[in-house]
Amino acid sequence: MNQSTLLNKIYLLIAVYLTHASYTSAAVILDFTSRGLNLSTSDVTVDVTNNSVSATGTKDPFLSGGFSSILASGTFDLKISALSSEGGINNFNPVDWSGINDISTSLIATNARGWGVKDSELGGVSRIDQGEAIFFEFDFSGLTLGANDLVVLSGLSGGENYAIHKQISPTLGLEIASVTEEGSVILDEVVQDGDLFALSSTGNRRKFLETLTIDIVTIPEPSTYTLIILGVGALVILRYRLASRGRN
C-alpha cells in the first residue's frame, strides 16, 4: 500500500468516526395536530426504549424519527397544561411569570391545527391568545441516560407571533425564542429534569402547540477531541511532507 492510499484510508476512518461521535441529524418529532378530547392537563409519555408516545385523556400525538443516543432507555413525561384568560381571571406575563390567578378551569383544546386553549366566550376559539399559554414541563424520573447523554429541546412550531420562555425562578422567565412569521424555530436548549416552558402569544395571529422536536445526544469525552485534533494535525503534516516530496 503506497503512502497516498494509506492517507486516504486514514481520512476516511476519521470522517466515519466524527460522524458517529458528534451530533447527528436524528431527533424525535412530536406532532400535536390531531383532534381529541379537550382536557385540563395531559401527561404525554415518550417511550425512548420503544420509540413510541402516549397521552392521558386524549388522542396520542404522532411520533416520527428517533433519538441519537443508543444508550438512553426508559420513558420521560411532558406534563402539559393550558392557561385561559377567559373572564379576565388570568393575564399571563412570561417575563416575570405572573398573572396565573386560576388555572383550574382552563382547558387544553386539541384540534387538527395543534393544541391550544379552550375559550367558550370567544365562540370556541382554541388558539393561544394574549394573556394565555400552553405549559410543558419535563419529568425524567423514568428515564435512564448514558454517562454523556443530554436531552435537547431542538425545535418547536406554533403558528405565528409566539414566544417560548423557560421558567428560571418563581418570578422570572427567560425568553428562548420569539417568532413573528409562521414556521418552526430552532431552539437547541439543553433540558434538565423539572424544566418548565411556556408557549405564549405575542400578537393576533393564530398560534398553537403544533410540534416539538426533542433529541437525546451523546457528547464525546474531552479526550476524544484531543485525539481528533492530534490526528488531524498529523495528517496535515503528512500531507505537507508528501506534497514537498512530489515537488522535489
Side-chain angles (χ1 to χ4, degrees), residues 15-203:
V16 170
Y17 182 79
L18 287 174
T19 300
H20 289 279
S22 305
Y23 290 98
T24 72
S25 59
V28 159
I29 299 175
L30 300 179
D31 187 340
F32 294 87
T33 57
S34 60
R35 186 180 298 278
L37 297 176
N38 298 332
L39 66 165
S40 56
T41 61
S42 179
D43 282 357
V44 175
T45 300
V46 179
D47 188 330
V48 176
T49 304
N50 298 304
N51 211 48
S52 61
V53 63
S54 61
T56 58
T58 191
K59 186 175 181 180
D60 297 341
F62 303 107
L63 182 148
S64 60
F67 295 107
S68 297
S69 171
I70 61 173
L71 298 176
S73 61
T75 65
F76 66 86
D77 286 348
L78 285 166
K79 299 179 180 296
I80 300 181
S81 58
L83 180 72
S84 172
S85 62
E86 187 172 22
I89 297 175
N90 299 299
N91 187 23
F92 177 61
N93 182 347
V95 176
D96 59 10
W97 221 263
S98 64
I100 306 176
N101 301 304
D102 183 11
I103 199 171
S104 61
T105 59
S106 299
L107 292 178
I108 302 168
T110 65
N111 59 75
R113 300 177 76 176
W115 286 18
V117 180
K118 185 69 174 177
D119 284 328
S120 58
E121 72 176 11
L122 297 176
V125 173
S126 59
R127 68 190 181 195
I128 305 167
D129 289 309
Q130 291 199 11
E132 300 181 332
I134 289 287
F135 300 100
F136 50 100
E137 180 180 2
F138 285 84
D139 179 358
F140 294 159
S141 58
L143 180 64
T144 300
L145 296 173
N148 297 315
D149 283 352
L150 294 175
V151 180
V152 179
L153 178 59
S154 304
L156 179 149
S157 63
E160 302 174 66
N161 297 103
Y162 63 90
I164 305 100
H165 286 75
K166 176 181 177 180
Q167 187 180 36
I168 303 301
S169 75
T171 58
L172 179 63
L174 175 66
E175 183 178 288
I176 304 300
S178 181
V179 177
T180 56
E181 297 182 357
E182 184 171 0
S184 59
V185 60
I186 297 173
L187 301 175
D188 286 339
E189 180 74 16
V190 175
V191 180
Q192 304 291 334
D193 182 35
D195 279 353
L196 175 62
F197 295 84
L199 172 62
S200 60
S201 171
T202 59

